[in-house]
């Protein structure tokens, strides 16, 4: 919630008792009277016309030039001014205008009398015909012939103009050839004798110049000369950049083993050098060692997963060698258990905690005994019956022996 603005009494550090005739009459501080007048004019504490007029009179006596006493007046126009005053102003304006015209005529007459070409003319004077003729004679003649100027067309020699154009073109070519020759010429690097002892900083400077010279030879497709310059640079100060550049020159010369060796030297100095890794993979691929090249490309993708060269190369190698794993595959290390550790007895894992007695043989023997007894009793009953009541299949007696399932 925004804070409410302070009242003018609080802003000017005034009291309500200060808005009084007696206080204003006794006050001699013009600044304080101005603040009281501002409060009265604002109407925050009420509308007091007489007190406001008294405060204005008091301020006028203390500070007559106060800004609060200034009163705005409307702009003076013909309708708001008296006729006599307006007539006076109009007369003075007409007199000033006629005076300026007379001065201008005097200046023109003086210009005509002197007629000095060094003095600039008045802008309102019209240009005479003589001046037009002079300006036309000064203008240079154009080298182009107007289509309606038949006299010049009759004198025009096309063969001569063509010869001039050929000469201009030949001159331009010669200038370009000279400039190119000057730009191609570079100061030769003088080889120092071996007995001169150089500081490390001097060696770095000379090695850098030799490497730049090798780069120029490489751009000119002079790969053997580039290798020679790189050799000189590496003798003075071995750097990863120089090894990397010489590896590329070896690749161009199809000396892949030496290129791989230089890439290894560069990686020994800078293990995360992507250029060295890519050039090593390129040399391995050209040397028909595609599996090793695939591993190097995978190393590149671990450092830069969005490398387009490595992505396209790994995809191409996987199409050629289908048994290659994906670039982001992870190998799992399998550790063998040493013989010193105790072997696990798996029989303890399957051994039952409670031994249950096997009752099947006992049940079978009891079943046999019961069967024999039942058959014997049945035979005795059949023998006691009359002959006509005997049946071949008597009703089976109730079984008293428990079944095996009930055991």
């Amino acid at each position: 919630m925004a804070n409410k603005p302070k009242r003018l009494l609080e802003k000017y550090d005034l009291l309500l008792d200060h808005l009084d005739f007696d206080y204003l009459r006794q006050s001699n501080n013009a600044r304080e009277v101005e603040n009281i007048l501002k409060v009265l004019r604002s109407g925050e504490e009420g509308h007091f016309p007489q007190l406001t007029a008294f405060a204005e009179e008091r301020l006028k006596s203390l500070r007559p030039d106060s800004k609060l006493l200034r009163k705005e007046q409307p702009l003076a126009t013909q309708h708001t001014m008296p006729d006599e005053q307006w007539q006076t102003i109009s007369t003075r304006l007409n007199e000033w205008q006629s005076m300026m015209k007379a001065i201008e005529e005097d200046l023109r007459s003086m210009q005509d009398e002197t007629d000095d070409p060094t003095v600039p003319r008045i802008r309102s004077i019209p240009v005479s015909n003589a001046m037009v003729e002079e300006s036309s004679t000064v203008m240079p003649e154009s080298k182009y012939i107007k289509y309606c100027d038949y006299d010049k067309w009759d004198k025009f020699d096309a063969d001569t103009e063509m010869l001039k154009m050929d000469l201009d073109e030949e001159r331009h070519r010669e200038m370009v050839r000279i400039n190119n020759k000057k730009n191609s010429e570079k100061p030769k690097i003088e080889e120092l004798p071996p007995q001169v002892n150089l500081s490390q900083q001097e060696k770095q400077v000379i090695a850098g110049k030799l490497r730049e010279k090798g780069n120029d030879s490489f751009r000119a497709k002079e790969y053997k000369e580039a290798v020679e310059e790189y050799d000189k640079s590496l003798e003075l100060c071995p750097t990863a950049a120089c090894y990397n550049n010489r590896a590329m020159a070896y690749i161009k010369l199809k000396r892949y083993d030496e290129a791989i060796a230089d890439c290894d030297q560069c990686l020994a100095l800078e293990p995360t050098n992507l250029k060295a890794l890519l050039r090593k993979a390129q040399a391995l691929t050209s040397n028909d060692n595609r599996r090793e090249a695939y591993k190097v490309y995978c190393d590149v993708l671990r450092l830069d997963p969005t490398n387009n060269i490595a992505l396209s190369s790994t995809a191409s190698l996987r199409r050629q060698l289908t048994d290659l794993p994906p670039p982001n595959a992870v190998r799992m290390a399998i550790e063998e258990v040493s013989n010193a550790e105790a072997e696990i007895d798996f029989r303890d894992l399957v051994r039952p905690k409670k031994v249950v007695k096997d009752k099947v043989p006992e049940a079978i023997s009891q079943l046999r005994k019961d069967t024999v007894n039942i058959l014997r009793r049945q035979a005795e009953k059949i023998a006691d019956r009359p002959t006509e009541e005997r049946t071949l299949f008597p009703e089976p007696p109730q079984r008293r022996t428990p079944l095996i399932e009930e055991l």
Side-chain angles (χ1 to χ4, degrees), residues 165-182:
M165 292 173 63
D166 293 339
L167 291 174
D168 292 339
E169 186 176 357
E170 186 66 26
R171 193 179 297 109
H172 177 69
R173 289 178 181 176
E174 184 66 20
M175 292 296 295
V176 170
R177 188 183 65 80
I178 293 172
N179 292 333
N180 291 338
K181 186 177 180 180
K182 289 181 179 179

Side-chain angles (χ1 to χ4, degrees), residues 145-146 148-156:
I145 303 174
K146 295 182 179 180
C148 58
D149 195 350
Y150 300 108
D151 294 336
K152 291 185 179 180
W153 279 114
D154 292 339
K155 298 177 183 179
F156 180 75

Side-chain angles (χ1 to χ4, degrees), residues 254-399:
K254 298 183 180 180
R255 296 160 62 177
Y256 302 117
D257 294 334
E258 297 173 352
I260 294 169
D262 277 354
C263 290
D264 291 336
Q265 292 288 342
C266 178
L267 292 172
L269 297 174
E270 295 180 2
T272 59
N273 194 311
L274 291 178
K275 285 186 178 180
L277 289 171
L278 290 172
R279 289 171 184 176
K280 181 180 179 180
Q282 182 182 355
L284 288 169
T285 305
S286 302
N287 206 18
D288 200 14
N289 196 349
R290 292 176 290 178
R291 294 186 182 276
E292 291 295 328
Y294 183 78
K295 293 179 182 178
V296 177
Y297 281 128
C298 292
D299 294 338
V300 173
L301 291 176
R302 290 189 189 96
L303 296 174
D304 184 10
T306 60
N307 192 285
N308 295 327
I309 298 175
L311 290 172
S312 60
S313 300
T314 50
S316 176
L317 290 173
R318 289 194 69 193
R319 286 193 296 269
Q320 297 173 15
L321 304 173
T322 56
D323 59 335
L324 290 175
N328 55 355
V330 180
R331 291 181 176 272
M332 297 181 63
I334 301 175
E335 297 181 359
E336 295 183 359
V337 180
S338 61
N339 296 329
E341 297 181 1
E343 295 183 357
I344 300 174
D345 189 2
F346 292 98
R347 291 177 296 179
D348 295 337
L349 299 177
V350 297
R351 185 175 297 166
K353 297 181 180 180
K354 183 179 180 181
V355 179
V356 181
K357 187 177 180 181
D358 191 3
K359 296 183 179 181
V360 175
E362 185 179 353
I364 292 172
S365 61
Q366 184 66 30
L367 181 61
R368 287 176 181 175
K369 292 178 181 179
D370 293 343
T371 304
V372 172
N373 293 332
I374 291 170
L375 291 175
R376 186 182 293 111
R377 286 195 298 271
Q378 188 68 20
E380 291 177 355
K381 288 181 180 180
I382 293 172
D384 294 341
R385 290 179 185 178
T387 305
E388 60 274 5
E389 293 181 2
R390 296 178 183 178
T391 58
L392 184 61
F393 301 101
E395 294 180 1
Q398 294 183 357
R399 181 170 51 84

